[in-house]
Amino acid sequence: MSHPFRHLGTVNRHRRAVRRHCRKAGIFWQGLVHDLSKFSPTEFFAGAKYYQGNRSPNEAERERLGYSAAWMHHKGRNKHHWEYWRDIDPVTHVYAPVEMPVRYAAEMFCDRVAASKIYRGKSYRDGDALSYFERGHAKDLMHPATSALLSAWLKLLADAGEDAAFAAVRAAVKEEKKNRKQKKKHKSA
């Protein structure tokens, strides 16, 4: 049975939570445009059809069909997913993970925390996103530097809470922005 309004409610609650987190992380614009592809027909109709409320509809679509067309559409359009950051290695000529820019890793952190809050509801604890990350295989498949950065932020969240974690994320984003400006300045000189 399709649940378009329930799915829409979940998507909107998630996007609101990500916007709040992105503001804390110093990436306000990314929070505004986060997950807009979820409103595309490919993603929205599958989300409504496979809606359950306590986990991603992509998982149910994958279980039923053997793949998730919605997920494949989503990951190819959203730079905050590590799966977006895979390319052909110029030496081995095999697809391999690429290190994510910090600003997108920061959005990934915000996304994972928000998803944990939405799906866990009142049971949410600051260690939930870390537990999910450690149980999964993403840490082994993404670029080692990206995995280490995300893991450090999630551990900080679990151990010291949101204020400390978002302060660390914000500092890393600020440092990356400063470095980008310096590189741009040197290129134009």
Side-chain angles (χ1 to χ4, degrees):
M1 177 183 242
S2 185
H3 297 285
F5 295 111
R6 289 181 182 173
H7 176 61
L8 181 62
T10 301
V11 169
N12 285 333
R13 279 193 314 279
H14 172 70
R15 288 191 69 244
R16 274 193 301 275
V18 172
R19 278 194 304 271
R20 281 192 304 274
H21 294 331
C22 284
R23 189 173 58 244
K24 290 180 181 182
I27 51 173
F28 181 72
W29 177 255
Q30 286 172 239
L32 289 177
V33 299
H34 178 81
D35 277 356
L36 288 177
S37 70
K38 285 191 178 182
F39 298 107
S40 69
T42 300
E43 293 182 40
F44 187 81
F45 293 141
K49 182 176 181 176
Y50 296 103
Y51 174 84
Q52 293 134 65
N54 62 348
R55 67 183 187 140
S56 171
N58 296 339
E59 292 177 27
E61 182 184 30
R62 194 173 293 112
E63 289 166 0
R64 177 121 193 277
L65 302 177
Y67 65 93
S68 172
W71 171 245
M72 288 189 279
H73 185 272
H74 187 75
K75 70 179 174 140
R77 286 157 180 78
N78 293 278
K79 295 178 182 180
H80 65 275
H81 288 290
W82 65 267
E83 295 91 343
Y84 179 96
W85 297 95
R86 295 183 63 79
D87 202 357
I88 298 174
D89 184 293
V91 176
T92 64
H93 304 287
V94 174
Y95 276 97
V98 176
E99 185 175 358
M100 289 175 74
V102 171
R103 65 188 174 276
Y104 298 119
E107 187 180 353
M108 178 170 55
F109 171 81
C110 294
D111 184 46
R112 285 170 175 264
V113 174
S116 292
K117 287 180 176 181
I118 297 304
Y119 288 126
R120 300 275 299 145
K122 292 178 181 175
S123 300
Y124 171 79
R125 300 292 176 261
D126 283 339
D128 288 347
L130 175 62
S131 295
Y132 183 80
F133 179 66
E134 289 178 340
R135 277 194 318 271
H137 299 290
K139 65 185 175 301
D140 303 320
L141 299 173
M142 65 177 69
H143 190 277
T146 302
S147 180
L149 182 62
L150 179 60
S151 180
W153 288 340
L154 292 172
K155 285 177 184 170
L156 188 58
L157 174 66
D159 296 341
E162 279 195 18
D163 290 343
F166 281 107
V169 173
R170 196 170 43 255
V173 166
K174 193 173 184 179
E175 182 68 22
E176 179 194 52
K177 190 174 185 176
K178 184 178 101 177
N179 291 340
R180 277 196 330 261
K181 282 183 181 181
Q182 286 176 346
K183 282 182 182 178
K184 200 174 195 179
K185 186 178 176 182
H186 285 106
K187 279 185 179 179
S188 65

